[in-house]
Amino acid sequence: MEFKMQYLSFYLIQVEGSGESEERRYKHYQTLDADAYEESSLKDFLNGELTKIMKRKVDRHAKSEGAPTKIGRFIVEQGHDLTSNPNYNLFARTRYAESADDFETSSDQIVQMYLDTSAIRGGVLIVATSKLTKLFDDPFLFILKCDFEPKVATITDEDTLIQNVEMAITTKSMKSVQYPYMPEEGMIDSAEIKVHQSSHARYFEDFLKWVEYEKSMPEIVKTQTMGMVQEHIQETYQEESEEKEEFEQAIEEWSQSPKRELQERFTTEQVVEATSQIVEHSPDVEWKLKLDHVSVKAMLSDFGESIHLAKVNGKYVLAIEADSITFEKGFSPVEFHKPDTLQEVVERIYKKNENES
């Protein structure tokens, strides 16, 4: 990818103190136009970073809630266009600034919005517009944040050996906003942005108050599962009944628990029907469970097809159908096992449990 920088503003973010005494401030160092950028050391510093940001893969519905890269969309009320969104308007002004002064004015507003975020760290914030010359006439807007690196030193001479460097920055773990989002090369969506931040703190996405982010797959599956449960409650229990209240309380406690136990409330047919509805919408949903110390990872679509959950004499049994079995890493005698029939295994479980009781 070949980028042609248009404008770039460089800011220093400083945070001192904590709590009510915390003080935040920023200092604008310089705004560069295309020619000044070409002669600047920033060109070497950012070399390849814009390409990395553009090519960074992102799932529209992340596989985990803590995914570092997300797609955001400007919030627009029904019947209104993008110009009703304050964040979009600011991004558009910055993106299409006709002079360095106009660009700096808009960049200052972005930095001020960032300073108003609940939790930030000191570092360098860079606002830039750059054209992807071979694909688009309109520029992309990039907002980049590099945190300060602690305990950084450079080798000096034989007397002092090393010298501490204050306010050192690196592109490693750099946070970024890319606007607009490019889902495929040559395609853009003016309503969407791509945000990347590797830290657990979500402040780099939170400072854009009028942007909403696509739900992760776990969120989507949870919502659909809770919908199935609520539908079952409405169909099964009378309004204001004690049984209904107890079930709803049990489900609330279940949904809040980080480690949830099998509820044993729905038949196999009901669960298969519910999972098929989820899989129809999201075929790649993963499914994880743990039986005592044994962990299993599969696709949700496998349940009822090649994975079966049963109970034998009060013990849970997971039966998995497969055409082949492969082993990785550590060797074991199990690799030479000639499997028994399923009936023989079930009979052995029955006898084992009878002996234990």
Side-chain angles (χ1 to χ4, degrees):
M1 290 184 171
E2 295 183 13
F3 283 93
K4 176 67 175 177
M5 188 67 68
Q6 285 194 304
Y7 298 110
L8 182 149
S9 286
F10 187 97
Y11 297 87
L12 176 66
I13 307 293
Q14 292 181 295
V15 181
E16 297 177 358
S18 60
E20 295 182 359
S21 62
E22 183 180 87
E23 183 180 355
R24 307 174 179 186
R25 58 179 181 271
Y26 75 91
K27 179 180 179 181
H28 170 254
Y29 268 64
Q30 200 172 3
T31 293
L32 309 175
D33 60 15
D35 294 334
Y37 177 77
E38 289 295 320
E39 302 299 324
S40 168
S41 56
L42 271 174
K43 182 179 179 181
D44 294 330
F45 179 75
L46 295 177
N47 185 36
E49 290 302 317
L50 300 188
T51 297
K52 186 186 300 183
I53 291 169
M54 294 287 289
K55 289 188 174 183
R56 181 174 283 126
K57 292 184 178 180
V58 57
D59 293 319
R60 183 161 293 278
H61 300 290
K63 293 182 179 179
S64 66
E65 294 184 23
T69 311
K70 295 182 178 181
I71 297 173
R73 174 172 284 269
F74 294 115
I75 300 171
V76 177
E77 292 187 14
Q78 189 172 2
H80 295 266
D81 60 20
L82 285 171
T83 57
S84 64
N85 184 293
N87 290 157
Y88 168 80
N89 290 330
L90 177 55
F91 276 26
R93 285 199 305 273
T94 312
R95 186 183 175 200
Y96 292 111
E98 296 182 357
S99 69
D101 288 340
D102 290 344
F103 179 82
E104 183 180 326
T105 298
S106 296
S107 297
D108 284 348
Q109 294 178 43
I110 292 175
V111 177
Q112 189 58 60
M113 282 169 47
Y114 176 73
L115 286 182
D116 292 338
T117 307
S118 59
I120 62 172
R121 292 176 59 189
V124 164
L125 194 141
I126 297 171
V127 182
T129 52
S130 184
K131 285 188 176 182
L132 196 52
T133 54
K134 291 186 178 180
L135 294 176
F136 304 102
D137 293 328
D138 295 332
F140 285 83
L141 170 65
F142 296 93
I143 304 171
L144 316 174
K145 170 69 191 314
C146 304
D147 293 335
F148 289 137
E149 292 294 310
K151 297 182 180 178
V152 177
T154 57
I155 298 174
T156 55
D157 54 48
E158 62 274 14
D159 295 324
T160 57
L161 298 182
I162 63 171
Q163 179 182 3
N164 289 329
V165 180
E166 295 182 5
M167 299 189 297
I169 60 170
T170 174
T171 56
K172 181 182 179 182
S173 300
M174 182 172 69
K175 304 169 184 65
S176 66
V177 173
Q178 170 203 322
Y179 174 71
Y181 169 54
M182 186 174 71
E184 295 181 23
E185 193 166 295
M187 294 176 58
I188 58 173
D189 189 331
S190 297
E192 292 185 332
I193 67 174
K194 182 164 71 174
V195 177
H196 174 78
Q197 53 181 8
S198 56
S199 64
H200 295 294
R202 311 317 301 171
Y203 63 87
F204 200 64
E205 66 185 40
D206 292 342
F207 88 99
L208 298 172
K209 297 179 180 179
W210 305 104
V211 170
E212 60 185 357
Y213 298 90
E214 297 284 4
K215 288 184 177 180
S216 66
M217 286 310 307
E219 289 177 294
I220 292 173
V221 174
K222 179 181 179 181
T223 299
Q224 292 177 318
T225 301
M226 293 301 292
M228 176 198 73
V229 173
Q230 290 300 328
E231 185 177 333
H232 173 79
I233 291 174
Q234 298 303 323
E235 293 175 351
T236 306
Y237 300 99
Q238 294 182 350
E239 287 291 333
E240 309 301 328
S241 67
E242 185 177 342
E243 293 85 355
K244 180 174 182 287
E245 186 176 333
E246 289 177 353
F247 193 177
E248 288 179 330
Q249 184 176 350
I251 293 302
E252 177 64 23
E253 293 175 357
W254 163 83
S255 66
Q256 299 300 322
S257 175
K259 293 184 178 180
R260 302 172 302 281
E261 295 185 355
L262 190 67
Q263 296 296 298
E264 297 193 35
R265 294 183 182 271
F266 299 140
T267 65
T268 300
E269 290 75 17
Q270 287 175 306
V271 174
V272 168
E273 172 62 24
T275 56
S276 65
Q277 294 177 18
I278 295 173
V279 170
E280 183 178 355
H281 179 267
S282 310
D284 297 329
V285 175
E286 292 184 345
W287 175 50
K288 299 177 183 178
L289 72 160
K290 197 168 186 179
L291 295 86
D292 291 340
H293 65 282
V294 180
S295 298
V296 178
K297 178 180 177 182
M299 305 299 292
L300 186 59
S301 57
D302 292 330
F303 182 81
E305 290 290 331
S306 58
I307 296 182
H308 311 276
L309 191 57
K311 213 168 183 181
V312 178
N313 269 14
K315 295 282 190 177
Y316 294 115
V317 176
L318 193 70
I320 303 175
E321 299 178 56
D323 293 325
S324 64
I325 298 177
T326 57
F327 298 86
E328 298 178 3
K329 296 184 178 180
F331 290 79
S332 75
V334 179
E335 297 183 39
F336 294 90
H337 179 236
K338 183 178 180 180
D340 300 323
T341 66
L342 183 59
Q343 184 176 355
E344 290 173 328
V345 172
V346 172
E347 289 176 355
R348 190 158 61 242
I349 294 173
Y350 267 114
K351 291 180 181 179
K352 175 187 174 185
N353 292 340
E354 288 175 355
N355 293 335
E356 289 178 352
S357 59

